[in-house]
Amino acid sequence: MEQQLDFLVDKVVAELQKKLGEATEPAPSPKAETGTGLIQLRSEPKAEPVSSATTAPTQAPAVNEHLAPSAEPERTSHVPNPKYKEGLDELLSSTPARIGVWRAGVRPLTKTMLELRRDHAAAVDAVYGEVSQAVLDQFSLFTVETQYDNTENYLKRPDMGRILTDEGVRLLQERCQKKPQVQIVVSDGLSAAAVDANLKDVLPSLMDSLKSYGLTCGTPFFVQGGRVASMDHVGEILEPEVLVLLIGERPGLVTAHSMSAYMCYRPRKGMVESERTVISNIHRQGTSPVEAGAHIGTILSKMLEQKASGVKLVL
């Protein structure tokens, strides 16, 4: 059996050498390659590659390219000869969702799988990551914590992300202005990456908007491990007229950088969700962070004029 295998290997090597015309390379001795011929066929760098092997060098850069994070999701169909191409192009231009990705047999294309794994890894990093201290320092935001304790507990016990720790309450009472007209609160929520990516654009724009409407702002701060309803506890402590919470949203597979702005008039414990107003999907491929900051200021001014928020607010 072994002799037959050696004979076949030697025959294949001889045929390849004959076809490729390696005049400059000395023909390897069939006897000397006995037993290692298959390995040399796969790894010999000087051998002229056959047509199927020429794709290997061009595939490696493509894999690295798709593993790298992209700023803009691809909007290209891979469906061969679609029956309604115009309709498919219209769908692709209207959403960054994964449509028209096609398949290889019953499985997704390798490219699609790599992009899914990349975006899933970014989502996990966003949930378990921490907001950059440099970003908080840039806006002089001090940190208070909720009773979440750790990320695993935060995911399992949303109620613990709604209440500040005793130390957090003490810090707010010592360092924050009481009964401000507008209170700004920032929280990591479910995506620390969203705060890192958007706060530097949203917050300056919001402050400019408040100034243009003649509104005054209290002492902004950062809540680590905060849920949306943490604004109710903050409202009980500082008693602002209106409060806006800039919080990282649950990451998806399109982006992990989505931020939301939840706003309410006279926040307090026991508020129902219909009393909150929200601007969601704030990121580079969604609502522009700069435009969102300006729009938040407009909505807050209307809340103060109408003394209402949520479904009672007329926009």
Side-chain angles (χ1 to χ4, degrees):
M1 184 66 183
E2 184 176 354
Q3 291 179 349
Q4 291 179 349
L5 181 60
D6 291 344
F7 173 76
L8 290 174
V9 170
D10 293 344
K11 189 175 181 180
V12 169
V13 170
E15 285 295 324
L16 283 175
Q17 289 172 347
K18 181 180 178 181
K19 290 182 178 179
L20 296 175
E22 295 183 358
T24 57
E25 292 290 334
S29 168
K31 293 296 182 183
E33 293 184 355
T34 301
T36 59
L38 285 177
I39 297 175
Q40 289 188 358
L41 279 176
R42 293 170 181 170
S43 60
E44 177 57 63
K46 293 182 180 179
E48 194 69 25
V50 295
S51 58
S52 60
T54 56
T55 57
T58 58
Q59 285 177 348
V63 170
N64 292 332
E65 178 184 345
H66 295 307
L67 286 173
S70 58
E72 189 72 29
E74 184 186 48
R75 300 191 183 189
T76 303
S77 169
H78 297 282
V79 178
N81 303 317
K83 292 184 178 178
Y84 185 30
K85 186 176 184 306
E86 293 77 11
L88 182 58
D89 291 341
E90 185 177 349
L91 287 175
L92 287 166
S93 64
S94 65
T95 174
R98 288 179 169 83
I99 55 178
V101 295
W102 200 234
R103 62 185 187 274
V106 296
R107 299 177 179 177
L109 299 177
T110 301
K111 175 184 177 182
T112 303
M113 283 303 301
L114 290 173
E115 289 177 343
L116 281 170
R117 291 183 179 183
R118 175 199 64 189
D119 294 342
H120 181 261
V124 173
D125 287 346
V127 172
Y128 285 90
E130 293 186 359
V131 174
S132 167
Q133 187 60 45
V135 172
L136 302 180
D137 292 342
Q138 181 180 354
F139 299 105
S140 302
L141 301 177
F142 69 92
T143 299
V144 298
E145 293 188 7
T146 66
Q147 298 179 0
Y148 79 109
D149 192 33
N150 57 65
T151 303
E152 295 296 338
N153 207 38
Y154 176 85
L155 297 174
K156 297 174 183 175
R157 294 284 305 274
D159 56 310
M160 299 183 75
R162 298 168 185 156
I163 306 298
L164 302 183
T165 61
D166 293 341
E167 176 64 13
V169 173
R170 184 187 66 78
L171 284 174
L172 294 192
Q173 291 172 337
E174 288 181 357
R175 302 180 64 171
C176 290
Q177 176 187 340
K178 285 290 189 68
K179 298 184 178 181
Q181 194 171 28
V182 177
Q183 177 65 52
I184 298 175
V185 182
V186 181
S187 181
D188 47 2
L190 281 164
S191 176
V195 177
D196 286 346
N198 299 300
L199 191 64
K200 61 182 180 298
D201 292 323
V202 173
L203 196 51
S205 176
L206 171 58
M207 298 300 286
D208 288 344
S209 181
L210 295 179
K211 187 177 180 181
S212 68
Y213 283 105
L215 304 180
T216 59
C217 181
T219 312
F221 58 92
F222 173 70
V223 176
Q224 187 166 5
R227 292 277 180 175
V228 171
S230 63
M231 59 200 302
D232 301 349
H233 194 192
V234 173
E236 290 280 335
I237 300 167
L238 299 180
E239 301 180 62
E241 289 191 63
V242 292
L243 186 150
V244 54
L245 174 68
L246 303 172
I247 187 169
E249 280 290 7
R250 186 186 308 275
L253 292 178
V254 172
T255 180
H257 295 164
S258 183
M259 171 185 275
S260 287
Y262 287 84
M263 296 161 274
C264 60
Y265 179 76
R266 297 279 172 89
R268 61 204 177 278
K269 289 184 179 178
M271 289 194 72
V272 295
E273 297 308 308
S274 60
E275 293 181 272
R276 307 186 205 278
T277 301
V278 61
I279 298 176
S280 61
N281 217 26
I282 301 172
H283 57 91
R284 285 188 297 175
Q285 287 88 46
T287 302
S288 163
V290 174
E291 293 180 8
H295 191 44
I296 292 168
T298 302
I299 291 177
L300 292 175
S301 69
K302 290 185 177 181
M303 285 183 178
L304 290 167
E305 290 173 4
Q306 300 178 28
K307 301 185 184 303
S309 59
V311 296
K312 296 179 180 178
L313 182 68
V314 179
L315 295 174

